[in-house]
Structure formats: structure tokens, C-alpha cells
């Protein structure tokens, strides 16, 4: 994957995203749609994974059949909203290893504060996909990627549902080597750090809190 930013414009993704943005959409539907979109984004973000071949016997003959090369990839959920993407991606890639980064956004400074960190071993040998539905200021995403790099990760991709231009810019400055895959880049951030038009607080909408 060479582009820094990939917007997945597939009609299924865009249609589902519209339903998610609608404030009348229930928690139940929001969660289901997020799971579905996460699988379509995962399809895109894993497009260029390396393949090798394995000798197998079909009922008819032997063949060298393709399979994914290397160590199991690592999915890193940036808590708590990352879990909404994690569920769907894990259904698609059930053998993946899973890690969690707990960061909350200080409401006043909008800066990330770490409260949890647990990731799989040997990150340096894995494709690492960081998951966070909302790339807003980019501060917490950039901080999460810093932590993953400190743990040895060198091949990292970032999956989100929605991005603000400010977040994309921040990530490009901080981590130009980390491709971003998203369903849309919205207009801007508001003064509270929310993406506009956006979909509100992704965590609240998927977990029914607030
Ligand atoms: N986090 C969210 O959940 N929503 C936004 O709009 C920005 C950050």
C-alpha cells in the first residue's frame, strides 16, 4: 500500500456510512453497520499482503495454492471505540493477534492520556493494523502509533471510519510511513474536537452510553 490516504468509495460502504451518520439510527443498527463496514475496510487494507504457496492435494490433483505469508497480523484496538471495528475485522481474520491501547482525550487540552497498553509479541515481524473509527485531531492516533513503534512495529496501517482533514494532516506529519484507510474525509473539526458533519461520538453511539 503506497498511498498515505485511501478513501474507500465503494457504494456499499458509502450507503452504510450514511445510515450510521443519521442521528435516528439505533445503537443496535449502528453497531451492526460498523461491523459490516469494518470488514469492507479490512478487505481494502489487507489487499497487498504478501502471499506464499503451500502444496496441497485437491480431490483431483496436487497444487501449489496461495496462502498469506509471514506471522499472524496484529490488530490493535484504540479503546474504546476501536472495539467496534475490531469485532468485524476479527470475524474476517480470526487468526489475528489482538492488542489494546487505552487513551482518553483530555476534554480541555484535547491531548491523549494513556491508561492501558497490552500488545502481541514480535510486532516487528507482523503487519500491524491500528483501529480507531474517528481520526479527529489525530493526537491520540499519532500517540498510539508512537507506542506501537516503540514496541518494535515497522509495518503499520491505520483503519478508521471517518477522518477530519486536520487528523489526516497530523498523521501525515507524525507518521508518513503509516497508510490510512477510511470511508470518508469530512469537512472539519468543530471547537469541541468533533468531526463535522460526522456522526457524533462513535463510542456513545455504538455502546449506547450518554
Ligand atoms: N471522536 C468521536 O467519537 N467523534 C468525533 O467526532 C471526534 C472524535
Amino acid at each position: 500500500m503506497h498511498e498515505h490516504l485511501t478513501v474507500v468509495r465503494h457504494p456499499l460502504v458509502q450507503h452504510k456510512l450514511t445510515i450510521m451518520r443519521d442521528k435516528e439510527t439505533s445503537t443496535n443498527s449502528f453497531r451492526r453497520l460498523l461491523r459490516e463496514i469494518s470488514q469492507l475496510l479490512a478487505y481494502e487494507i489487507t489487499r497487498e499482503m504478501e502471499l506464499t504457496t503451500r502444496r496441497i492435494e485437491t480431490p483431483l490433483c496436487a497444487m501449489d495454492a496461495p496462502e498469506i505469508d509471514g506471522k499472524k497480523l496484529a490488530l490493535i484496538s484504540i479503546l474504546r471505540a476501536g472495539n467496534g471495528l475490531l469485532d468485524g475485522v476479527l470475524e474476517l481474520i480470526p487468526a489475528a493477534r489482538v492488542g489494546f491501547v487505552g487513551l482518553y482525550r483530555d476534554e480541555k487540552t484535547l491531548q491523549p492520556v494513556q491508561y492501558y497498553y497490552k500488545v502481541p509479541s514480535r510486532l516487528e515481524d507482523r503487519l500491524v493494523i491500528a483501529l480507531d473509527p474517528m481520526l479527529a485531531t489525530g493526537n491520540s492516533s499519532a500517540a498510539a502509533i508512537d507506542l506501537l513503534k516503540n514496541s518494535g512495529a515497522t509495518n503499520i496501517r491505520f483503519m478508521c471510519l471517518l477522518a477530519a482533514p486536520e487528523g489526516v494532516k497530523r498523521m501525515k506529519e507524525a507518521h508518513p510511513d503509516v497508510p490510512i484507510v477510511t470511508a470518508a474525509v469530512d469537512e472539519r473539526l468543530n471547537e469541541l474536537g468533533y468531526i463535522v458533519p460526522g456522526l457524533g461520538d462513535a463510542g456513545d453511539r455504538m455502546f449506547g452510553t450518554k
Side-chain angles (χ1 to χ4, degrees), residues 21 65 68 70 106 135 174 181 187 209:
R21 288 181 188 276
I68 292 170
D106 185 288
L135 177 56
V181 170
E187 279 164 30
T209 45

Side-chain angles (χ1 to χ4, degrees), residues 102-120:
L103 296 169
Y104 68 85
R105 203 161 54 144
D106 185 288
E107 298 279 325
K108 291 205 184 73
T109 62
L110 301 184
Q111 293 302 309
V113 183
Q114 181 188 333
Y115 64 90
Y116 189 76
Y117 186 73
K118 185 89 180 169
V119 297

Side-chain angles (χ1 to χ4, degrees), residues 18-200:
T18 296
I19 303 171
M20 294 183 76
R21 288 181 188 276
D22 187 337
K23 67 178 184 185
E24 302 301 333
T25 295
S26 68
T27 299
N28 183 359
S29 301
F30 188 93
R31 203 182 288 152
R32 178 176 48 78
L33 288 158
L34 184 59
R35 194 176 64 238
E36 291 168 2
I37 293 188
S38 73
Q39 298 185 342
L40 297 165
L41 297 178
Y43 179 82
E44 189 62 38
I45 212 166
T46 54
R47 183 180 283 283
E48 286 161 37
M49 283 180 78
E50 297 285 329
L51 289 173
T52 183
T53 56
R54 180 163 69 90
R55 192 75 177 165
I56 59 165
E57 300 273 341
T58 78
L60 300 183
C61 65
M63 75 173 282
D64 293 317
E67 68 175 14
I68 292 170
D69 197 16
K71 284 194 91 59
K72 301 284 182 277
L73 61 74
L75 304 174
I76 309 294
S77 170
I78 301 174
L79 297 172
R80 72 181 159 149
N83 282 9
L85 290 174
L86 177 64
D87 291 345
V89 180
L90 259 183
E91 271 178 33
L92 203 64
I93 315 172
R97 303 305 188 241
V98 178
F100 296 92
V101 179
L103 296 169
Y104 68 85
R105 203 161 54 144
D106 185 288
E107 298 279 325
K108 291 205 184 73
T109 62
L110 301 184
Q111 293 302 309
V113 183
Q114 181 188 333
Y115 64 90
Y116 189 76
Y117 186 73
K118 185 89 180 169
V119 297
S121 64
R122 309 270 306 269
L123 282 192
E124 60 277 17
D125 298 331
R126 304 180 190 275
L127 170 62
V128 175
I129 302 179
L131 308 167
D132 190 349
M134 308 300 272
L135 177 56
T137 61
N139 289 334
S140 56
S141 307
I145 303 292
D146 281 335
L147 294 170
L148 296 174
K149 286 184 173 174
N150 285 341
S151 297
T154 55
N155 185 11
I156 308 174
R157 296 175 196 178
F158 185 84
M159 180 195 292
C160 59
L161 179 64
L162 275 188
E166 294 88 337
V168 173
K169 180 164 176 283
R170 171 90 173 85
M171 281 287 277
K172 187 162 191 176
E173 285 163 5
H175 300 293
D177 56 319
V178 176
I180 299 167
V181 170
T182 186
V185 178
D186 275 8
E187 279 164 30
R188 63 186 171 88
L189 289 180
N190 71 10
E191 56 292 351
L192 297 175
Y194 280 89
I195 299 175
V196 180
L199 48 72

